[in-house]
Amino acid sequence: MPLSYGVNDIGRSAGVRIRLDFGDDPISANGQPTAIYAAIIYTARSRRFYVQSVGAETWLNGRILRESTELTGGETLQLGQTHLRFAPLCGVDFDWRDAG
């Protein structure tokens, strides 16, 4: 799933950038889709990615995520029963804005 500059919110509701609406019932609150579950932030100035838990329990590499944490590549994010692997296509040495 592609990420954008700034905040990439993750959840099941229609208003999030990364929508995980494919049958993972734990990604909900009281039977309703959680508006925002977690967020991955890309800061263009530092060219770094960070992840933070927002509205529900989020796991990073098998440990509960309690604070904003930098992502460097290869990490596994677990939201409900869904596992996502982080694979950055930009970073400290390259940013898509440099390509032009």
Side-chain angles (χ1 to χ4, degrees):
M1 296 174 193
L3 301 175
S4 300
Y5 289 90
V7 177
N8 296 275
D9 42 2
I10 305 168
R12 284 183 64 182
S13 64
V16 298
R17 276 193 182 175
I18 302 171
R19 191 169 183 204
L20 303 178
D21 189 20
F22 44 77
D24 187 350
D25 291 333
I27 303 179
S28 65
N30 300 322
Q32 299 298 315
T34 301
I36 301 174
Y37 205 96
I40 295 176
I41 300 105
Y42 177 70
T43 58
R45 175 180 262 172
S46 68
R47 295 182 176 186
R48 297 183 190 280
F49 290 91
Y50 297 90
V51 62
Q52 64 186 43
S53 182
V54 177
E57 191 172 80
T58 304
W59 295 76
L60 181 64
N61 294 331
R63 296 189 176 132
I64 191 142
L65 183 62
R66 300 198 186 277
E67 60 188 23
S68 180
T69 302
E70 184 175 357
L71 297 172
T72 57
E75 296 89 350
T76 300
L77 187 64
Q78 181 180 346
L79 307 109
Q81 298 301 311
T82 300
H83 292 75
L84 304 169
R85 182 133 178 128
F86 180 69
L89 298 179
C90 57
V92 176
D93 297 327
F94 175 80
D95 185 278
W96 290 100
R97 292 179 182 174
D98 294 344

